[in-house]
């Protein structure tokens, strides 16, 4: 399964992330004391959901041999105590029935299901 690491030093909130053989930077915006050197943690969460949604729907359309030209996934995290994610799909090249089917499939992508069901996190000292 997936593995990753995150390292933070003395650079305020800039964090180096290594995952899947890729190096990324995360940070908080200046308004929260960071330098904006990378996406904030919730931005990365939305990016993960957006990528999983787009990839899964592309795979589904390809398998069905549907003429999907493009797919945009817009995401917005809302709320304070009761957070929720609003996801809007903009689909080009398909008829209304195919678009509706992709919207149904979006509700069952791996990252969508993980977020909806929750995931236990076990923390230990190394």
């Amino acid at each position: 399964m997936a593995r990753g690491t995150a390292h933070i030093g003395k650079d305020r909130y800039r964090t180096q992330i290594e995952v899947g053989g890729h190096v990324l930077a995360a940070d908080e915006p200046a308004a929260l004391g960071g330098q904006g050197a990378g996406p904030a943690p919730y931005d990365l969460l939305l990016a993960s959901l957006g990528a999983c949604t787009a990839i899964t729907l592309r795979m589904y359309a390809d398998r069905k041999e549907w003429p999907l030209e493009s797919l945009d996934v817009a995401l917005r995290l809302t709320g304070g105590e009761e957070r929720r994610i609003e996801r809007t799909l903009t689909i080009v090249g398909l008829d209304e029935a195919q678009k509706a089917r992709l919207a149904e499939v979006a509700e069952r992508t791996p990252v969508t299901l993980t977020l909806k069901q929750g995931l236990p996190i076990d923390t230990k000292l190394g």
Side-chain angles (χ1 to χ4, degrees), residues 29-82:
L32 295 178
Q35 299 173 5
Y42 276 117
D43 296 332
L44 292 168
L45 179 72
L46 292 179
S48 177
L49 177 61
C52 183
T53 301
I55 291 167
T56 302
L57 298 185
R58 168 51 76 185
M59 288 176 171
Y60 187 89
D62 288 350
R63 207 168 29 252
K64 294 287 189 177
E65 297 182 358
W66 289 351
L68 175 63
E69 292 178 30
S70 66
L71 167 72
D72 291 306
V73 182
L75 298 157
R76 189 171 88 121
L77 181 66
T78 64
E81 289 289 317
E82 195 157 319

Side-chain angles (χ1 to χ4, degrees), residues 79-121:
E81 289 289 317
E82 195 157 319
R83 290 194 169 117
R84 66 185 308 104
I85 295 173
E86 296 174 352
R87 174 172 50 192
T88 303
L89 306 175
T90 303
I91 302 168
V92 177
L94 302 183
D95 64 33
E96 293 306 311
Q98 291 167 326
K99 289 178 183 180
R101 180 65 183 137
L102 286 187
E104 291 172 4
V105 172
E107 291 299 318
R108 293 189 310 282
T109 69
V111 173
T112 299
L113 292 176
T114 298
L115 291 172
K116 285 184 173 186
Q117 295 168 359
L119 181 68
I121 299 173

